[in-house]
Amino acid sequence: MSTESPMMFLDDMVRAIRSKRKTQTRRIVTPSNSYFGSADKEFFGHADFDAPHPGTLIDGRPERGQYLHVPSHCQTSDYFPLSKPVSSCEICKTNGWEDTRHRLYCRYGVGDRLWIREGAKQVTKGIVGKNGQYKWPTFVNHEEAKTWFANNCYYTSDFPDRTEGQLLNKMFMPRWASRLTLQIIDLRVQRLQDISESDAAAEGVQLANRDEQTFYGQFQKLWESIHGKESWLANPWVWCYTFRVF
């Protein structure tokens, strides 16, 4: 059964999706978007994500997408190649994680839908939250909610130069305010820097000068602007979603 979950996007990326330039997005593998099939969340702190192949091993299920085999950092033998093995770990021993490898799955799979949380501003007086942004009002009737939005708010991606109004907290945008829903049609897992030139183009970045720029380089700049240069250098595992507008 398919599921629906929210996902936040920057204004530039919303415009890229609406203009059909963006058909992929990458998100760092974290406990919030991933789970181990045979271990609990605590294993994240005892897994060796930097273990060389075949310690970490990409596998897949056609009906749901790829997943990742991740070994424990605790080995009592040379069972898997590791990056920084430890010979003793009480938590691994207690949970039976010594010399083991576990499948890491994405919480979203092929067929699931992602509804977009994007920037919006309210031009009328609202309730200010702790971060200085307006809180989203609560409505029982969604049609009433949409009418309120049309009369009092606008999506910032539609008017990038408009300064009127106060930002509504994008993190808490309710489902009724979302105007874009994506359906995942392919799911992969890879190292961030392994992105190809064609996949970088599918991320929605643009070239100002084709003779001097690459989509790969522009994607790197985009990533660093969001996550920082250290994130690119760390080369984390990422979930790679290919989608269509639903």
Side-chain angles (χ1 to χ4, degrees), residues 13-214:
M13 297 298 98
V14 172
R15 286 192 286 271
I17 291 171
R18 298 187 72 195
S19 64
K20 299 181 180 180
R21 287 188 292 106
K22 183 175 178 66
T23 56
Q24 289 185 17
T25 189
R26 281 159 172 74
R27 304 298 162 117
I28 297 174
V29 169
T30 66
S32 64
N33 61 24
S34 316
Y35 68 95
F36 287 102
S38 54
D40 58 30
K41 187 182 293 188
E42 190 177 14
F43 186 67
F44 272 92
H46 301 273
D48 188 352
F49 283 93
D50 293 323
H53 181 87
T56 51
L57 179 66
I58 297 172
D59 207 334
R61 299 178 295 172
E63 72 278 10
R64 293 292 286 175
Q66 291 183 337
Y67 55 84
L68 187 68
H69 293 275
V70 187
S72 164
H73 68 165
C74 183
Q75 282 199 22
T76 60
S77 64
D78 294 328
Y79 196 59
F80 294 117
L82 299 178
S83 63
K84 295 179 180 178
V86 298
S87 59
S88 178
C89 173
E90 284 301 316
I91 293 178
C92 289
K93 185 176 181 180
T94 300
N95 288 279
W97 294 338
E98 295 175 319
D99 301 321
T100 61
R101 188 169 63 179
H102 300 271
R103 292 180 180 182
L104 181 70
Y105 298 104
C106 183
R107 294 191 184 278
Y108 320 123
V110 174
D112 288 342
R113 295 183 293 273
L114 304 169
W115 54 273
I116 291 181
R117 281 176 164 158
E118 60 175 297
K121 282 187 175 182
Q122 183 176 337
V123 297
T124 53
K125 188 174 179 58
I127 300 175
V128 180
K130 291 182 180 180
N131 64 351
Q133 297 180 348
Y134 278 177
K135 294 181 178 181
W136 287 90
T138 301
F139 292 91
V140 176
N141 184 291
H142 286 187
E143 291 305 316
E144 179 184 347
K146 291 179 179 180
T147 299
W148 171 85
F149 186 93
N151 293 332
N152 296 275
C153 309
Y154 65 92
Y155 295 103
T156 53
S157 63
D158 290 345
F159 305 95
D161 299 322
R162 187 175 177 181
T163 59
E164 179 190 7
Q166 176 65 39
L167 281 171
L168 286 151
N169 194 324
K170 177 165 62 175
M171 185 179 296
F172 300 107
M173 172 180 271
R175 180 68 179 93
W176 58 260
S178 176
R179 58 177 173 168
L180 286 171
T181 301
L182 312 176
Q183 185 173 47
I184 300 171
I185 58 175
D186 185 57
L187 172 68
R188 290 172 290 146
V189 60
Q190 64 180 187
R191 288 289 193 178
L192 173 64
Q193 294 180 19
D194 289 343
I195 186 173
S196 67
E197 181 73 1
S198 60
D199 281 351
E203 281 277 355
V205 295
Q206 293 179 291
L207 303 183
N209 187 326
R210 288 186 177 271
D211 295 329
E212 299 177 0
Q213 296 178 329
T214 63

